Amino acid sequence: MNQDYIYTSETSVGNLPNLFIVADGMGGHNAGDFASRYTVEHVVEAVKSSGLTEPVSLLGEALRQTNSSLMELAEKDPHLRGTGTTFVAATIAQGRMSVANIGDSRLYIVNQSIVQVTRDHSLVQEMVRMGEMDQDQARVHPDKNIITRAVGAVRNIEIDFFEVNLKQKDRILLCSDGLTNMLEDQEIRSIMCSQRDIVESVQRLVAAANMKGGKDNISVIIVDPFSDEVKRC
C-alpha cells in the first residue's frame, strides 16, 4: 500500500507562485493512505482560497485548518483513529524559498554539497540533538520511524518554517523517508549530480533506494529553480 502522496505545481496556486509537497501517511488499514492524500488535497484547496499573500502565513493557516478537519474526521470514524501524516512543502519566488515541515519527510538543497534544510521530528533525531546517540546509530535504531509530530496527531500542531535564499545551481529535493532510510546523504548527492537532468535523477534515486532494500514507499520531487540553464552540480 502506498501511504505517500505528492503534489507539484510549477504555476501559481492561489497566491503562491508554485507549490511542491510530499506527505507520508501513518496509521492502520487505509488510514495512512487517507491521511496523506486528504492533507495534501485540503492544504492545496486552502491555499487556493486564502487571501493571505505571505508564504509562511499562508501555509501555516492551510495546515492548521487541515489538521483540525482531519482530527474531526478521525474522531468520528474508528477506522481513522491514530491516523496522521508527515508533511513537507516548498514554494519559491525570486530566488527565495519558503518551507513548511512536520514530521520526518525532508527537504534538501543540493549543489557542491548536500544540506538538509528541514529538521526531523522523530524520536531518534531528538536523541541525536540531545547527544544521546550519533547519526550512524540513529540510522539503524529500531525506533527510527517513530515520529514526534504529525498532521492529525494533536489539536495545536507545531510547524517548522524555513526561509532560504537560493544560489545558482542549487537544486531542491523533497522526499519521504523511504529514500533517506535507504540512502546516505552523500549517495543522494552523488546520484543527483551524475545524471543528465532532474527526471533521470528522480528515476535513479528511486532505483537506488529499491536496490538497497526498498523497505518503504519512496517519494521524490526535485525542483530546479534555475532551469533555464544547463548545468551539473
Side-chain angles (χ1 to χ4, degrees):
M1 179 183 295
N2 188 0
Q3 296 191 329
D4 289 1
Y5 200 83
I6 70 169
Y7 175 87
T8 67
S9 177
E10 297 178 43
T11 57
S12 61
V13 180
N15 289 327
L16 296 180
N18 44 61
L19 185 58
F20 309 94
I21 305 172
V22 170
D24 181 0
M26 62 183 188
H29 180 65
N30 288 332
D33 169 64
F34 174 83
S36 58
R37 183 179 71 254
Y38 180 94
T39 296
V40 172
E41 290 177 348
H42 281 73
V43 164
V44 170
E45 288 306 309
V47 167
K48 288 179 179 178
S49 62
S50 177
L52 298 174
T53 57
E54 199 278 318
V56 166
S57 298
L58 205 165
L59 287 170
E61 177 191 64
L63 275 166
R64 293 182 186 97
Q65 289 177 2
T66 300
N67 180 71
S68 294
S69 59
L70 179 60
M71 289 201 70
E72 288 173 8
L73 285 174
E75 288 169 358
K76 295 174 183 176
D77 186 344
H79 296 100
L80 297 178
R81 296 285 166 79
T83 192
T85 184
T86 69
F87 183 94
V88 60
T91 184
I92 302 165
Q94 299 178 335
R96 186 168 178 82
M97 176 173 63
S98 300
V99 180
N101 177 57
I102 302 172
D104 63 354
S105 292
R106 295 178 178 179
L107 183 144
Y108 292 90
I109 295 176
V110 181
N111 199 327
Q112 283 83 9
S113 60
I114 179 168
V115 176
Q116 182 179 340
V117 173
T118 54
R119 186 177 71 168
D120 292 357
H121 304 133
S122 67
L123 180 63
V124 295
Q125 287 302 319
E126 295 293 344
M127 295 170 73
V128 169
R129 283 191 282 273
M130 291 187 292
E132 296 178 10
M133 69 173 69
D134 59 29
Q135 288 290 356
D136 290 337
Q137 293 171 316
R139 287 188 63 83
V140 298
H141 196 280
D143 295 331
K144 67 181 180 180
N145 292 324
I146 297 177
I147 61 175
T148 55
R149 294 191 208 174
V151 181
V154 294
R155 285 287 178 187
N156 297 314
I157 56 169
E158 293 183 64
I159 311 165
D160 280 355
F161 296 104
F162 307 89
E163 294 194 274
V164 184
N165 292 320
L166 300 173
K167 303 186 297 294
Q168 292 292 325
K169 297 189 179 181
D170 281 349
R171 287 181 178 177
I172 312 306
L173 168 67
L174 297 87
C175 61
S176 63
D177 66 352
L179 181 75
T180 53
N181 281 342
M182 296 294 103
L183 301 178
E184 300 277 359
D185 287 2
Q186 289 305 321
E187 291 179 285
I188 292 171
R189 181 190 174 275
S190 177
I191 290 170
M192 287 182 61
C193 292
S194 60
Q195 311 307 315
R196 290 174 296 181
D197 53 40
I198 60 174
V199 173
E200 194 171 278
S201 293
V202 168
Q203 294 169 343
R204 290 298 305 147
L205 286 171
V206 173
N210 277 322
M211 286 182 65
K212 286 288 188 76
K215 296 178 181 178
D216 198 357
N217 307 137
I218 306 163
S219 293
V220 177
I221 298 172
I222 298 177
V223 184
D224 187 345
F226 309 102
S227 57
D228 55 324
E229 296 185 3
V230 176
K231 55 189 176 299
R232 292 280 182 89
C233 297

